[in-house]
Amino acid sequence: SLPTASKAEEEKKDTACAITLAETMSDKLIFNKRLHQCGVNGIAYSKITSKEYLILSGADDQAVALSVWDVEKQTLLVQISLPEAHTSSIRVAKLIKHKDSFIGFTSGYDQRLTIWQISKITKGWGMVKMEEYIHGIPDVNVIGQIIEKEKKVIVIAGCGLEILELTIQG
């Protein structure tokens, strides 16, 4: 028979691995901020400038959060949270650059595709709900895009597939 480690030796190895991983991770962590009350399921980001990124997230708390991350300062310049943006957990988020602004898409178990106008305003950034579309995908996992001039073809997939053609005004 092969020799086996005692339970105490196994726990010691597990603890040593966890400590090593934590030490390694803490060396790499550059920022930590709680944006949601529970698990984030969908996140999208897009470059604004050479040092700023727009981040859109959705979570089990039904909230949508919009943040602007400054790479050089390693901080959030903007943090907007819209509680109850959906009527159940949000599963996916998508950002599309549109002229001088962005269009955000979120969807979840409520089977609603919510379309957000995201733009720079006088004192930072703003986010306004443009439209809501009820879709037939019960477990949405992906939002994709195909862009042709002013028309955006949006693909929603999960337990099924829907393709929508949207014309973005403005």
Side-chain angles (χ1 to χ4, degrees), residues 87-120:
T87 58
S88 66
S89 296
I90 299 169
R91 302 282 299 148
V92 292
K94 181 79 173 170
L95 279 171
I96 298 175
K97 177 91 169 111
H98 179 70
K99 298 182 181 178
D100 294 333
S101 63
F102 293 86
I103 305 296
F105 298 88
T106 55
S107 189
Y109 290 130
D110 60 3
Q111 295 181 261
R112 297 173 193 269
L113 175 68
T114 304
I115 305 169
W116 306 92
Q117 173 70 44
I118 301 167
S119 53
K120 195 158 190 152

Side-chain angles (χ1 to χ4, degrees), residues 123-146:
K123 296 181 179 182
W125 286 80
M127 183 165 70
V128 177
K129 185 189 291 187
M130 291 174 55
E131 193 175 339
E132 205 167 64
Y133 169 77
I134 306 296
H135 60 76
I137 308 298
D139 190 9
V140 65
N141 288 307
V142 176
I143 299 175
Q145 72 190 36
I146 303 166

Side-chain angles (χ1 to χ4, degrees), residues 1 6-7 22 31 48 56 58 80 82 103 139 142 161:
S1 79
S6 70
K7 188 173 182 174
F31 186 79
I48 302 169
L56 180 68
I80 299 169
L82 300 176
I103 305 296
D139 190 9
V142 176
L161 175 74

Side-chain angles (χ1 to χ4, degrees), residues 5-169:
S6 70
K7 188 173 182 174
E9 288 172 331
E10 287 296 325
E11 287 176 3
K12 187 176 178 181
K13 283 182 189 175
D14 289 344
T15 305
C17 289
I19 291 169
T20 303
L21 179 60
E23 288 170 353
T24 303
M25 293 302 287
S26 66
D27 290 343
K28 297 183 185 328
L29 180 66
I30 57 173
F31 186 79
N32 185 355
K33 175 77 174 173
R34 186 178 187 134
L35 297 174
H36 289 277
Q37 298 301 311
C38 49
V40 171
N41 300 315
I43 191 162
Y45 64 91
S46 186
K47 194 174 204 175
I48 302 169
T49 67
S50 61
K51 65 177 186 169
E52 293 178 357
Y53 283 83
L54 188 67
I55 303 167
L56 180 68
S57 60
D60 286 334
D61 61 3
Q62 304 170 13
V64 171
L66 178 73
S67 308
V68 176
W69 169 256
D70 186 307
V71 175
E72 288 179 358
K73 296 177 185 173
Q74 297 184 348
T75 190
L76 290 181
L77 302 175
V78 173
Q79 181 182 332
I80 299 169
S81 183
L82 300 176
E84 300 176 7
H86 282 259
T87 58
S88 66
S89 296
I90 299 169
R91 302 282 299 148
V92 292
K94 181 79 173 170
L95 279 171
I96 298 175
K97 177 91 169 111
H98 179 70
K99 298 182 181 178
D100 294 333
S101 63
F102 293 86
I103 305 296
F105 298 88
T106 55
S107 189
Y109 290 130
D110 60 3
Q111 295 181 261
R112 297 173 193 269
L113 175 68
T114 304
I115 305 169
W116 306 92
Q117 173 70 44
I118 301 167
S119 53
K120 195 158 190 152
I121 55 177
T122 308
K123 296 181 179 182
W125 286 80
M127 183 165 70
V128 177
K129 185 189 291 187
M130 291 174 55
E131 193 175 339
E132 205 167 64
Y133 169 77
I134 306 296
H135 60 76
I137 308 298
D139 190 9
V140 65
N141 288 307
V142 176
I143 299 175
Q145 72 190 36
I146 303 166
I147 301 172
E148 292 183 13
K149 297 183 183 177
E150 292 303 305
K151 291 186 178 180
K152 314 276 192 233
V153 177
I154 305 301
V155 179
I156 307 168
C159 291
L161 175 74
E162 284 192 23
I163 300 174
L164 311 169
E165 183 177 89
L166 306 172
T167 301
I168 308 297
Q169 304 295 325

